[in-house]
DNA sequence: ATTGTTTTTTGACCTAGATCAAAGAAAGAA
DNA sequence: TTCTTTCTTTGATCTAGGTCAAAAAACAAT
């Protein structure tokens, strides 16, 4: 697909005029990554942000002893790594690809110029960051106020929305990565899948999960 | 202090011209709150955002069974409640005062008009939201990758920065609220204060805490 | 001061979930 | 297909920290 098409479809850029899109196309640089490659490290200075053109990217933090907490998983059309662009500080977390991916890179200075000239672009960007804040809010809520089965239930119900399915969802990440996103370990996650299956809430077949009792899940 | 003075001193509005400040003054509305009053509830629609003119405000989430997780504590000059302004969705959390406070309220439509006319204001706003995201990132990191003593150590070291003190910090919130901010209970927090005192890391006298071993604290 | 109220501390106990170890299953690669 | 490597599950054990209950301390208000 053409670069312009992808940009146009993204939430961030969808209200822009043809010219504005052309400008964005001309300042952005396409980069290709293999699965598992690092895009940037926590603490590095950032001189621009990225958007996923194809593939999938995870944003994560590592503890001293190597434990990983995934903060976000971004798919096609989603921008990431914007914090240093607007705040001037280093990346607050690391990013790497979960699959072979193509990314568009938007250099800071050029993008800020565009923003200054296009208030509507600035408003879209504010909307994107606001949504990001909202998601973090629920993530903190989940991590501290719910226990793991509750977090899993939330995530499954969220996937149902995302995939606009009735009662079946397909995990788009390995279960180990899902564990990290939910702030737990693969072992615990596996046990909770088993328990929920026992309780008749779900039925697991590899990455495909049948939600048998939506009401029961919502109660978590 | 005059409204304009307070706005001018805030990080969000500090680069603005006199006229822009006047415009902000004229669209904003001052509201007074007593200690412990609710400003808005999680899930309510928001048609504007706030800035603390005096006092202190907490942003928090409640679980079904009444447990509270504090997400932020904001002091003078800090804006809050911006998410609905830019994303159009309800407030993702609740807000209430920790002390008698005066707040400035900026109505959505008027503020967005100002933003559209002033790209530099939009950039400041982007910077504020970016910093907020950065803080959330470290909050999630702390909550999931560190245990409670580590979180407390981080917070104490952060306070040292904030208050630009050498080795003494004064808690600006009751210990119970601090526990909620750190994602734990008052009992546990109290025990950790006791343990750190035993280990010679700190000395606690009411709300005043002497940090006796900065290096030891950093190791957490 | 004195009483009522809120905050903080201490003690005893208990559970969610982490860790360690190892077996099974899937998924790519040759 | 067969071999490797990466995921996932299961079992056994351990512990940080939550919960409940109650005492002690700090604060406020009369």
């Amino acid at each position: 697909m053409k670069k312009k098409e992808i940009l146009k479809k993204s939430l961030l850029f969808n209200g822009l005029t043809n010219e504005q899109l052309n400008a964005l196309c001309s300042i952005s640089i396409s980069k290709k990554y293999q699965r598992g490659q690092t895009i940037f490290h926590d603490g590095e200075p950032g001189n621009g942000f990225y958007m996923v053109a194809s593939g999938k990217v995870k944003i994560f933090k590592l503890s001293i002893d190597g434990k990983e907490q995934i903060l976000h998983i971004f798919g096609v059309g989603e921008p990431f790594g914007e914090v240093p662009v607007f705040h001037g500080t280093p990346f607050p977390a690391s990013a790497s690809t979960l699959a072979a991916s193509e990314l568009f890179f938007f250099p800071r200075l050029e993008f800020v110029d565009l923003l200054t000239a296009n208030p509507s672009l600035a408003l879209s960007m504010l909307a994107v960051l606001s949504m990001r804040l909202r998601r973090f809010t629920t993530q903190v809520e989940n991590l501290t106020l719910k226990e793991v089965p509750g977090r899993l239930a939330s995530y499954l119900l969220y996937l149902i929305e995302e995939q606009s399915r009735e009662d079946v969802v397909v995990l788009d990440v390995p279960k180990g990565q899902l564990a990290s996103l939910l702030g737990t370990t693969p072992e615990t996650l596996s046990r909770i899948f088993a328990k929920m299956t026992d309780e008749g809430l779900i039925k697991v077949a590899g990455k495909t999960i049948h939600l048998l009792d939506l009401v029961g899940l919502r109660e978590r």
Side-chain angles (χ1 to χ4, degrees), chain A:
Chain A
M1 203 191 313
K2 277 187 60 184
K3 191 196 256 185
K4 198 164 148 190
E5 292 298 308
I6 297 172
L7 295 183
K8 195 173 181 176
K9 276 190 187 163
S10 72
L11 215 61
L12 178 55
F13 299 133
N14 81 352
L16 300 187
T17 65
N18 230 339
E19 288 141 30
Q20 291 170 325
L21 284 172
N22 286 335
L24 281 169
C25 279
S26 66
I27 68 166
S28 64
I29 298 156
S30 166
K31 298 187 183 185
K32 303 216 174 191
Y33 293 81
Q34 298 177 313
R35 175 192 147 91
Q37 256 191 293
T38 297
I39 302 157
F40 53 74
H41 285 288
D42 188 1
E44 275 177 18
N47 56 338
F49 74 97
Y50 298 82
M51 179 176 278
V52 181
S54 73
K56 205 181 298 291
V57 166
K58 72 172 171 188
I59 311 294
F60 61 99
K61 275 273 190 184
L62 290 180
S63 70
I64 318 105
D65 49 313
K67 248 188 308 176
E68 165 188 287
Q69 168 68 45
I70 296 181
L71 302 169
H72 309 283
I73 293 177
F74 291 126
V76 174
E78 294 190 279
F80 64 95
E82 321 85 342
V83 169
V85 171
F86 304 114
H87 197 241
T89 52
F91 288 116
S94 307
S96 75
T97 51
L98 284 173
S101 306
E102 183 182 3
L103 305 178
F104 298 145
F105 176 76
F106 298 85
R108 178 180 180 165
L109 292 176
E110 286 89 330
F111 186 73
V112 169
D113 282 349
L114 266 181
L115 267 188
T116 312
N118 298 285
S120 72
L121 178 54
L123 285 176
S124 303
M125 199 82 216
L126 285 167
V128 166
L129 297 191
S130 296
M131 189 185 57
R132 203 72 46 91
L133 281 172
R134 162 176 294 283
R135 277 211 219 150
F136 259 129
T137 304
T138 63
Q139 195 171 6
V140 171
E141 175 186 18
N142 282 335
L143 289 171
T144 59
L145 299 179
K146 294 181 189 166
E147 25 206 55
V148 186
R151 294 179 220 159
L152 176 57
S154 300
Y155 187 74
L156 292 176
L157 293 168
Y158 161 78
L159 278 188
I160 280 258
E161 293 274 313
E162 270 301 277
Q163 306 182 356
S164 45
R165 297 297 210 67
E166 268 291 302
D167 52 0
V168 178
V169 292
V170 179
L171 299 180
D172 53 349
V173 289
K175 287 182 183 152
Q177 298 289 300
L178 176 57
S180 165
L181 185 64
L182 298 179
T184 184
T185 59
E187 295 95 318
T188 298
L189 181 61
S190 173
R191 286 182 178 112
I192 287 165
F193 269 126
K195 200 175 68 185
M196 284 186 161
T197 303
D198 277 0
E199 294 170 357
L201 291 169
I202 59 175
K203 190 150 141 327
V204 183
K207 291 201 174 314
T208 305
I209 305 193
H210 297 255
L211 309 196
L212 305 176
D213 181 358
L214 278 287
V215 182
L217 284 172
R218 286 219 182 75
E219 275 166 10
R220 294 313 186 92

